[in-house]
Amino acid sequence: MSTTSIERGTSGDMDEGPDGPEGGRGPEGPHGEDGGSGSGSGADNGSTEAGADGGAEGGGTRDRRLSTTATTVLGLFLLADVVFVCGALVTLWPVVLTTVEPGAGVTATARWSPFGLGEWSLTADTAMLLAVVVCSALGSFVHAATSFATYVGNRRLYASWLWWYLLRAGIGVALALLVYLLLRGGLFAGSSGAGATNPYGFSGIAGLCGLFSKQATDKLREICDTLLSTTGDGDRDRRDGLAAGRNGDPSAS
């Protein structure tokens, strides 16, 4: 994709991006929607030009802003993404309800024909996994599209963030699958398969995982840090023990 070269200064704008730095200046912060440091595209454009002048004079970092053609292609990609995801969900949902309805057998199957591309025989577990994938992709689209519209409107969409938009759905889907497996394994271990689950609840959780993948990842990291915390430095302790063993002290290994 072609890009347009601009200059930016070495101020706080350097770390701005679709998710923003840890200070919370994401799409809502710098553009004045919720955080409100800017008052619109005109003011924001002025600050960008000021940063460009400062970067040229003070040795700032050179960035590349997406051209109109590249921005249009990315926008069409996001539109095609939501059409595909919504179409898949509309055709998949009746299959999910059929296979997980009360009284359905564990081995019950249903036919799914996405966009007329053949027929697939789905079990309850497979249908639930696909529902999690589709709903998390839908949540990821909401996150990516909101950021995209905000940054395009303020003329601050840079090429360095292109892969962020392209990988947003994949990150949300992977996280939602992990959360789904954890919930199914931890809370429904004694149930009789996917037929004992609530498809609406799990699909909603999957959508939230896609929409708030960054926050969900941070929360899971906090939980793991709490549950798996140690008092010592395992790598250093093992290294010291091995060194002592090599020096002739067998009790240290």
Side-chain angles (χ1 to χ4, degrees):
M1 295 182 179
S2 59
T3 55
T4 302
S5 175
I6 66 171
E7 298 282 349
R8 284 200 300 174
T10 56
S11 63
D13 292 345
M14 287 298 298
D15 292 331
E16 291 180 9
D19 268 338
E22 293 185 4
R25 297 182 62 194
E28 291 80 8
H31 303 303
E33 292 182 7
D34 289 329
S37 65
S39 58
S41 61
D44 212 40
N45 189 36
S47 64
T48 302
E49 293 175 355
D53 294 335
E57 295 176 2
T61 303
R62 186 179 184 85
D63 263 340
R64 295 184 179 276
R65 190 171 64 191
L66 283 179
S67 66
T68 302
T69 302
T71 302
T72 302
V73 171
L74 181 57
L76 292 176
F77 169 79
L78 292 174
L79 289 176
D81 176 49
V82 70
V83 170
F84 176 81
V85 169
C86 288
L89 182 60
V90 168
T91 58
L92 177 65
W93 198 249
V95 177
V96 174
L97 296 181
T98 300
T99 54
V100 302
E101 65 182 359
V106 178
T107 59
T109 61
R111 295 287 181 178
W112 179 45
S113 179
F115 305 103
L117 302 176
E119 287 192 354
W120 304 81
S121 181
L122 303 181
T123 63
D125 285 316
T126 305
M128 278 301 304
L129 283 174
L130 286 174
V132 167
V133 169
V134 172
C135 290
S136 60
L138 186 61
S140 298
F141 163 79
V142 175
H143 187 184
T146 302
S147 174
F148 175 80
T150 301
Y151 277 86
V152 170
N154 287 276
R155 300 185 181 92
R156 298 172 72 92
L157 183 61
Y158 297 99
S160 58
W161 290 100
L162 177 62
W163 281 105
W164 186 94
Y165 291 101
L166 296 179
L167 296 177
R168 194 75 252 160
I171 294 172
V173 168
L175 178 61
L177 285 175
L178 290 175
V179 172
Y180 171 72
L181 294 176
L182 287 173
L183 292 177
R184 281 290 306 276
L187 301 181
F188 296 87
S191 63
S192 57
T197 64
N198 182 355
Y200 293 96
F202 279 110
S203 299
I205 292 174
L208 291 178
C209 286
L211 180 58
F212 302 107
S213 57
K214 181 177 183 295
Q215 293 88 334
T217 302
D218 293 340
K219 178 56 66 176
L220 289 175
R221 182 179 60 196
E222 292 178 4
I223 294 174
C224 290
D225 288 342
T226 301
L227 294 177
L228 305 177
S229 62
T230 58
T231 57
D233 189 342
D235 291 335
R236 184 182 60 187
D237 295 341
R238 284 188 291 270
R239 183 169 58 251
D240 292 344
L242 291 174
R246 286 194 298 267
N247 292 331
D249 185 4
S251 62
S253 57

